[in-house]
Amino acid sequence: MTQFKSVAIVGGTHGNEFTGIYLLKKWQQQIAEVSRPSFNTELVFANPRAHAENKRYCDQDLNRQFSEADLANPTLTGYEQSRAKAINQQLGPKGDARIDFIIDLHTTTSNMGATLLLLQQGEVYNKLAAYVQQQMPEVIVIRDDDHLAQADHRLLATLGKFGVIVEVGPVPQSVLRADVYQQSEQMTQHILDFLELWNKQQLPSLPSDIDAYRYTESLTLPLDDQGNRLGMVHPHVQDSDFNALEPGAPLFQCFDGTVMTYQGESIVYPGFVNEAAYYDNNLALSLHEKVTIKVSE
Ligand SMILES: [Zn+2]
């Protein structure tokens, strides 16, 4: 049976997401808070240069550099591409990683609340999600591209044998909010507790299934032929992460006064609504479908 012997908590993968960085600073002084008897915990500050420059990244988004192909590609030499290779040496190598479980701490400017992003499927993740939600009922569970092979995933958390993303918002970039900080800390503590209980085979009884959201696609802002923005997220959708969006409902408010509606054929659930970090790609929001995770067969 899987045993977790080494755990890494990663903060500052995005240099302007302060919450994880300040949690790391705290735990560096108080390592006992994130230690458990059955495993070793390491703290990793992933992108110190971007943080020093008060940016998400310097050259490339660090959290898109961890596919096995890219890690093995010597022609990728930007700062974050090199940083990814260094982190791969430190915690990996991906595919045969020294670290059993990675917790990567992120924040969002969107009104998503406390979310747990699962990037792979399986018993560990299903039970982890059920346990975290049992301890912290406000947590929303997202299955994000969990159909991809781990080797092809580009996210840092997929570098370990197992890994998840803790994503909490809303909080502006380069800002601390006590509620977001506390939720991030609380969720991390529950994940560590789960790993300890798993190792000791002392998990409490868990629900047989839980609700989750599965990422399906991203929608871009309306653009003209030259790539100029024609509108913004409609107030009906703004701050309404994980509220049902029905076909024909308002989606974008255009500068010329018109409203663009959602053209899909079924009810979807938006997330990362108007996320500031996605403006460089003109991404307006992600869409999810509601799914059930079977916790026990
Ligand atoms: Zn992030």
Side-chain angles (χ1 to χ4, degrees), residues 190-250:
H190 290 314
I191 295 167
L192 295 169
D193 289 343
F194 171 86
L195 298 174
E196 175 74 4
L197 292 166
W198 173 284
N199 281 346
K200 292 182 168 168
Q201 299 187 42
Q202 289 175 358
L203 284 175
S205 65
L206 297 168
S208 58
D209 52 50
I210 61 166
D211 288 338
Y213 295 91
R214 193 182 75 87
Y215 167 80
T216 54
E217 61 173 323
S218 299
L219 297 185
T220 49
L221 290 163
L223 304 171
D224 69 13
D225 292 344
Q226 279 79 48
N228 301 304
R229 292 177 190 130
L230 297 174
M232 53 202 151
V233 170
H234 192 276
H236 176 74
V237 181
Q238 179 66 45
D239 300 328
S240 296
D241 298 74
F242 304 110
N243 288 354
L245 178 66
E246 297 184 0

Side-chain angles (χ1 to χ4, degrees), residues 22-153:
Y22 278 81
L23 281 170
L24 286 191
K25 286 182 203 255
K26 178 193 178 191
W27 291 328
Q28 272 155 2
Q29 305 300 315
Q30 301 283 347
I31 193 72
E33 286 186 19
V34 287
S35 303
R36 297 293 183 274
S38 71
F39 56 82
N40 233 7
T41 303
E42 301 174 30
L43 303 172
V44 179
F45 187 178
N47 199 339
R49 189 192 286 181
H51 181 57
E53 295 181 12
N54 199 15
K55 294 177 186 165
R56 180 176 173 89
Y57 55 82
C58 300
D59 295 335
Q60 305 88 19
D61 190 332
L62 178 59
N63 208 26
R64 303 289 184 271
Q65 306 305 324
F66 288 88
S67 72
E68 282 188 16
D70 284 354
L71 289 168
N73 182 344
T75 69
L76 302 177
T77 56
Y79 174 67
E80 277 81 10
Q81 291 163 339
S82 303
R83 194 68 198 121
K85 293 180 172 79
I87 294 169
N88 189 43
Q89 285 200 341
Q90 190 185 344
L91 307 180
K94 187 165 180 175
D96 185 26
R98 177 176 68 80
I99 295 292
D100 296 316
F101 201 102
I102 291 178
I103 305 169
D104 193 17
L105 302 175
H106 288 258
T107 57
T108 170
T109 65
S110 307
N111 187 28
M112 289 170 60
T115 61
L116 176 67
L117 271 67
L118 308 180
L119 315 165
Q120 298 280 276
Q121 300 181 35
E123 184 190 5
V124 167
Y125 294 111
N126 298 347
K127 289 187 171 169
L128 170 68
Y131 177 82
V132 170
Q133 222 175 40
Q134 187 179 59
Q135 305 301 318
M136 208 174 153
E138 69 269 36
V139 167
I140 287 174
V141 176
I142 301 179
R143 294 175 47 193
D144 184 14
D145 277 340
D146 64 356
H147 60 287
L148 288 181
Q150 187 159 4
D152 298 330
H153 250 293

